[in-house]
Amino acid sequence: MVSRRSWVEQIMGLPVSVLARGEEAESARADAAVRDVFADLVEADRMFSPYKIDSAVSRLARGELSWDEVDPVVREVGERCVRARDLTGGLFDAELPGGGWDPSGLVKGWAVERAAERLREVPDLDWCLNAGGDVLVLCPSSLPFTVGIQDPRDPGRVVTSVARSDGAVATSGTAARGAHLYDLRTGDPVDTRWLSVSVSGPSLEYADVLATAAFVAGEEWPGVLAALPGYEGLGILADGNLFATAGWPLGEVAAG
């Protein structure tokens, strides 16, 4: 029987879990790597959360820090946000309407990928790192994990699944936080008949960025994914119908 072990912590206001599989799953080395992953994500939240009064994001907003004074990691994320804005033609933008900077749409995927390097250091370990529904996996065994896609109309239900032995799946929509996304080209809230868009590809950082940009794009969302090779998408309409790009590997679709 293949050994398995799971861990879960509440970080960034959402559940972050790790599922490990293989001979190393129950080892002290795997446990230490997971603890380091959680610590890295706590530190990213401390630095980038717009809800923490002492974060770099909050201090920039209040004018207590300038860009010349922030930690180099904050400047790196700022540069990544600019590249993401350029890549998506402004559909993703960390600059807020009316001023301010909120890199949350990029930071989670970036921070999870960065922290996951701890898990990559454990040899022969299959792992699935799930940060509130945005998922990164690596399976040296080549036996994939099955990633469920949540029904945005019923958070307790999965409408379909995708098998991955490497890479990421990210979802953007209104199910978890309501209508919180804006089209920053116009400053208006996103108005779309799509309830969510999920993106699968090699990088969680870019899958997350492209999912956000695709959701903002509305009817034109499949074209957004053409900005980078290797990314495919699945959109869920308000009536529950699904639309997938040509390369999206559909799994079992729930009835109804």
Side-chain angles (χ1 to χ4, degrees), residues 15-222:
V16 178
S17 65
V18 178
L19 173 61
R21 184 178 64 196
E23 291 183 4
E24 289 291 319
E26 299 186 65
S27 69
R29 185 172 183 180
D31 185 68
V34 172
R35 300 303 169 190
D36 286 342
V37 166
F38 290 157
D40 287 351
L41 294 177
V42 167
E43 175 60 16
D45 189 41
R46 184 195 69 78
M47 188 173 295
F48 290 103
S49 172
Y51 304 108
K52 295 184 182 297
I53 61 171
D54 60 345
S55 72
V57 170
S58 295
R59 295 185 67 196
L60 280 166
R62 293 194 300 267
E64 296 173 4
L65 281 178
S66 71
W67 279 101
D68 290 335
E69 297 171 317
V70 296
D71 189 287
V73 173
V74 179
R75 286 197 294 274
E76 177 192 344
V77 167
E79 291 165 0
R80 287 176 177 271
C81 287
V82 171
R83 290 199 294 271
R85 180 194 65 202
D86 294 344
L87 177 73
T88 62
L91 290 166
F92 174 94
D93 195 342
E95 300 294 332
L96 300 176
W101 182 68
D102 182 359
S104 300
L106 179 139
V107 159
K108 183 170 70 167
W110 166 84
V112 167
E113 269 201 286
R114 193 167 179 253
E117 290 303 315
R118 309 283 195 169
L119 296 170
R120 295 181 188 275
E121 293 171 358
V122 183
D124 302 319
L125 181 73
D126 291 353
W127 50 265
C128 175
L129 175 51
N130 185 333
D134 289 346
V135 179
L136 185 65
V137 304
L138 179 64
C139 301
S141 71
S142 298
L143 179 66
F145 285 104
T146 300
V147 179
I149 304 299
Q150 184 185 72
D151 185 342
R153 303 163 302 167
D154 180 0
R157 184 170 176 267
V158 170
V159 294
T160 188
S161 61
V162 57
R164 291 223 59 140
S165 57
D166 190 7
V169 180
T171 298
S172 183
T174 58
R177 296 172 57 192
H180 66 289
L181 292 174
Y182 286 79
D183 185 338
L184 297 179
R185 300 166 301 174
T186 64
D188 296 327
V190 173
D191 183 15
T192 176
R193 67 193 183 109
W194 298 91
L195 293 184
S196 69
V197 177
S198 298
V199 174
S200 178
S203 160
L204 184 57
E205 177 182 343
Y206 281 102
D208 211 0
V209 164
L210 290 174
T212 299
F215 187 77
V216 172
E219 296 305 302
E220 305 302 320
W221 74 260

